[in-house]
Amino acid sequence: MADILHKVKGVVLRTSKYGETSVIVTLYTDKLGLQSYLVNGVRSGGKRSGNKAVFFQPAALLDLVVYHNELRTLNRIREFKFSAIYQHLFSDVLKNGVALFMIELLHKTLRQPESNEDLFAFMEDSLLALDEAEVTVTANFPVFFAVHLCSILGFSPGSPSPDLLTSSQLLLDLQSGEFMEKAPAHSYYADREAALLITELLQARLPAELKSMKLSSHKRNIVLDLMEIYYSLHLPEFGKLRTLPVLRAILS
């Protein structure tokens, strides 16, 4: 099967060194889904390579022309450039920490190369909004992203009825994704306070709405821990998020 050229947009998920001057970059693209590419000569430091490695930092948004062959697990990139240039995301410690959490969470949910343009658009819009966000929105962004990503992927918690919302016994069963009053037989559930926070986050449609949410670092950590459990219950081999302890530290 011959290689076919495609114009795609991509977000960098991971970059690893290959040989003396090359890298293998994993991207999530709008048209080809999850893909890996070998990029030669970006780490040589010579005049021809310039500083091309900066294009392949995790969370970078790129316009690319790529060679694609479905029989290969590693393809090549013909052309690349930034599709958006961040003003703060790479230099601001808090924003970068949040972005790396988002990138890891997305990467751990992807198992197949199939494209999902809605998912790509959500990721792109989220990163651009994070870059421009003020401090309160930035701090609340991880919980917003974690709650809405599972919605895009099709396993979001359901919506509680008005009666349940006012119940003092409200719980969220993390296994079934259902809100209820009676505690399940297992221990994977969120108490009333956390269930209400998750409901509020689900109802927020835009990151700008996070400005009015006054969440303490303690409450954010509770929701993040619960969402990690939620993802692990619904996605086999999800495991633990390596960026979560770092995120907790910079948000405290």
Side-chain angles (χ1 to χ4, degrees):
M1 180 181 291
D3 292 353
I4 301 174
L5 280 173
H6 292 269
K7 288 184 177 181
V8 300
K9 298 180 74 174
V11 55
V12 178
L13 302 180
R14 181 174 62 192
T15 299
S16 54
K17 296 178 181 179
Y18 184 82
E20 293 296 321
T21 63
S22 304
V23 296
I24 294 174
V25 57
T26 302
L27 294 153
Y28 187 65
T29 70
D30 58 344
K31 296 178 181 177
L32 300 173
L34 184 65
Q35 297 291 328
S36 293
Y37 298 96
L38 176 62
V39 189
N40 297 119
V42 298
R43 297 173 43 241
S44 64
K47 291 183 179 180
R48 291 188 63 185
S49 67
N51 194 23
K52 292 180 181 178
V54 300
F55 288 92
F56 301 107
Q57 299 175 78
L61 292 169
L62 303 176
D63 284 326
L64 309 109
V65 178
V66 300
Y67 295 99
H68 185 68
N69 187 322
E70 292 184 357
L71 300 180
R72 294 178 181 166
T73 58
L74 194 62
N75 285 289
R76 290 183 179 270
I77 298 174
R78 179 176 174 178
E79 300 172 16
F80 56 86
K81 64 180 180 179
F82 287 121
S83 64
I85 298 177
Y86 298 125
Q87 299 301 308
H88 310 286
L89 193 142
F90 287 145
S91 58
D92 183 286
V93 173
L94 178 57
K95 289 180 185 290
N96 191 247
V98 173
L100 293 179
F101 166 80
M102 292 162 57
I103 289 294
E104 184 190 14
L105 181 55
L106 173 66
H107 197 181
K108 289 175 77 67
T109 66
L110 301 173
R111 291 291 179 269
Q112 301 295 330
E114 284 83 3
S115 64
N116 181 335
E117 294 197 38
D118 288 340
L119 176 57
F120 180 84
F122 171 69
M123 190 68 197
E124 180 182 41
D125 290 346
S126 295
L127 288 169
L128 292 173
L130 174 63
D131 184 51
E132 298 177 352
E134 61 174 78
V135 174
T136 301
V137 175
T138 300
N140 291 336
F141 218 105
V143 288
F144 173 85
F145 181 81
V147 167
H148 283 274
L149 177 62
C150 61
S151 179
I152 297 288
L153 294 170
F155 57 92
S156 173
S159 299
S161 67
D163 289 341
L164 269 179
L165 277 176
T166 59
S167 171
S168 61
Q169 304 300 315
L170 176 67
L171 300 169
L172 171 59
D173 185 329
L174 299 177
Q175 274 193 351
S176 68
E178 297 296 325
F179 290 89
M180 57 184 59
E181 289 183 290
K182 184 179 179 180
H186 55 79
S187 60
Y188 302 120
Y189 62 88
D191 65 16
R192 185 176 191 276
E193 183 178 23
L196 287 173
L197 285 174
I198 292 171
T199 300
E200 186 178 5
L201 288 161
L202 283 168
Q203 291 173 345
R205 307 314 302 172
L206 297 172
E209 296 175 51
L210 299 173
K211 184 178 180 180
S212 62
M213 293 187 186
K214 307 301 181 183
L215 299 181
S216 66
S217 59
H218 176 68
K219 289 181 179 179
R220 280 193 296 266
N221 286 338
I222 289 174
V223 174
L224 287 170
D225 288 342
L226 289 170
M227 292 309 298
E228 183 181 44
I229 294 170
Y230 188 78
Y231 277 87
S232 66
L233 289 171
H234 291 265
L235 295 175
E237 302 179 5
F238 181 82
K240 291 286 188 179
L241 289 161
R242 294 182 179 181
T243 53
L244 192 51
V246 178
L247 185 65
R248 288 196 195 99
I250 63 176
L251 287 175
S252 62

